[in-house]
Amino acid sequence: MLSSLLPHCLVLAALYTLCSIPLVQAWIQYPPNGNATMTHYTLPQNYIAACGCTAASTHYPTVAMSQMAFGSSTAYGPGCGRCFKLTLLNTFTSDPPFFPDVNKSLVVKVTDLCPTGGNGWCSATSDKANLGGEFINFDLAWPSPAIPDDFFPSNVSFYGYADFGVWNVSYEAVSCLQGWAGARQNAALGSVDDGSSVCCPADPTGNVNDTCPSYSDQNGIPPDTTTSWAPALLTGSIPSRAVLSLLFVLALLACSI
Ligand SMILES: *[C@@H]1O[C@H](CO)[C@@H](O)[C@H](O)[C@H]1NC(C)=O
Ligand SMILES: *[C@@H]1O[C@H](CO)[C@@H](O)[C@H](O)[C@H]1NC(C)=O
Ligand SMILES: *[C@@H]1O[C@H](CO)[C@@H](O)[C@H](O)[C@H]1NC(C)=O
Ligand SMILES: *[C@@H]1O[C@H](CO)[C@@H](O)[C@H](O)[C@H]1NC(C)=O
Ligand SMILES: *[C@@H]1O[C@H](CO)[C@@H](O)[C@H](O)[C@H]1NC(C)=O
């Protein structure tokens, strides 16, 4: 009886071990130039987002960067404060794809984190691109007084709607001081000193002395890349793994009786 149950117990033991080890997902290392996707989201004026950049930063073009490129699953990460020149290329979720007859660009500053999950555009991991085949998504705070309402090209008479929602863009890392519209406004630079964990450099270059560390790494918080139940069991929060581990311990006990 016991010997026939042994293989099951071994499987359980293996599963238990697997679930006890936090699977470490690597942050996405991206080149200074490349392609990405771009979406937009509503960020209220003067809202203090994940990086803790000042309220006045919202008066200029800002974005939330997809989590695994941002470099933290909460609070600040190495993406905070970085500036990128984004150029709209085409839309591809529309049928047919839309190619504008102008190439519109915008320099944005990263002030927020776009978490994995949700509709998936911010869910790329180092080994899995998002739905657009890209590893970075820039979620633009728009509408915004800093960006014209007609910034996104459209063709309403043909498509019947103006907002394509998702764009292919090219990006280029740029100096904030040279490129970002808020660069000469002191009120728009730096972070809010409100006692919480914030980090929003005026012009991060990637050097450890002027670029934010990863809040997740500093605090031992594993990147949360949960998008379905299976990864949730493996990379989920510590409590969910603990509950799961407990179930396996109980199963093992049942096995050994
Ligand atoms: C970006 O997309 C363009 C097409 O729009 C392509 O020609 C180019 O090779 C892509 N660049 C990279 C780095 O993938
Ligand atoms: C937009 O940029 C693309 C890629 O750089 C180029 O092929 C195209 O000719 C440009 N279009 C216009 C209208 O400038
Ligand atoms: C835009 O996205 C589509 C769909 O994934 C892809 O086939 C295409 O190559 C992308 N274009 C650019 C310019 O990156
Ligand atoms: C809209 O699309 C139609 C069909 O492709 C085209 O004939 C027309 O020139 C487009 N208009 C604009 C403003 O892009
Ligand atoms: C960072 O700052 C420290 C102290 O000022 C300095 O010793 C170190 O060389 C700097 N690191 C880099 C990469 O510049």
Side-chain angles (χ1 to χ4, degrees):
M1 181 63 184
L2 192 61
S3 59
S4 70
L5 275 176
L6 199 58
H8 301 88
C9 295
L10 286 177
V11 168
L12 284 174
L15 279 174
Y16 169 75
T17 310
L18 194 61
C19 294
S20 312
I21 303 169
L23 282 193
V24 179
Q25 267 284 348
W27 304 117
I28 292 173
Q29 308 297 323
Y30 53 90
N33 304 287
N35 294 332
T37 52
M38 181 181 187
T39 49
H40 59 78
Y41 78 122
T42 304
L43 181 72
Q45 283 287 289
N46 300 314
Y47 187 84
I48 312 288
C51 299
C53 303
T54 64
S57 66
T58 63
H59 304 175
Y60 302 94
T62 65
V63 287
M65 191 178 202
S66 49
Q67 177 174 307
M68 298 307 287
F70 179 86
S72 182
S73 46
T74 183
Y76 54 76
C80 285
R82 294 201 71 183
C83 290
F84 295 91
K85 181 180 180 186
L86 306 179
T87 302
L88 300 177
L89 297 176
N90 58 68
T91 68
F92 58 95
T93 55
S94 62
D95 184 18
F98 173 63
F99 290 83
D101 52 15
V102 285
N103 283 334
K104 286 198 160 179
S105 296
L106 182 67
V107 174
V108 298
K109 187 176 179 75
V110 177
T111 64
D112 204 359
L113 156 68
C114 183
T116 59
N119 56 18
W121 295 105
C122 288
S123 296
T125 56
S126 52
D127 52 13
K128 186 169 170 293
N130 70 11
L131 301 170
E134 304 295 352
F135 288 89
I136 307 180
N137 185 68
F138 294 98
D139 203 11
L140 181 71
W142 186 84
S144 158
I147 305 167
D149 283 343
D150 64 357
F151 172 69
F152 289 101
S154 64
N155 186 344
V156 179
S157 61
F158 182 74
Y159 289 94
Y161 57 87
D163 187 354
F164 292 103
V166 190
W167 284 77
N168 276 329
V169 298
S170 63
Y171 73 87
E172 180 190 348
V174 297
S175 153
C176 292
L177 295 184
Q178 282 161 25
W180 188 53
R184 270 167 293 282
Q185 309 299 323
N186 279 339
L189 299 174
S191 12
V192 176
D193 187 7
D194 65 354
S196 61
S197 300
V198 299
C199 181
C200 185
D203 197 21
T205 63
N207 180 314
V208 289
N209 287 339
D210 66 18
T211 303
C212 300
S214 166
Y215 183 88
S216 285
D217 288 351
Q218 284 183 326
N219 293 277
I221 302 167
D224 182 2
T225 56
T226 56
T227 48
S228 67
W229 70 271
L233 297 183
L234 298 176
T235 64
S237 64
I238 304 281
S240 76
R241 277 203 311 270
V243 166
L244 203 76
S245 299
L246 192 65
L247 287 178
F248 281 121
V249 170
L250 293 176
L252 275 178
L253 282 176
C255 252
S256 56
I257 290 168

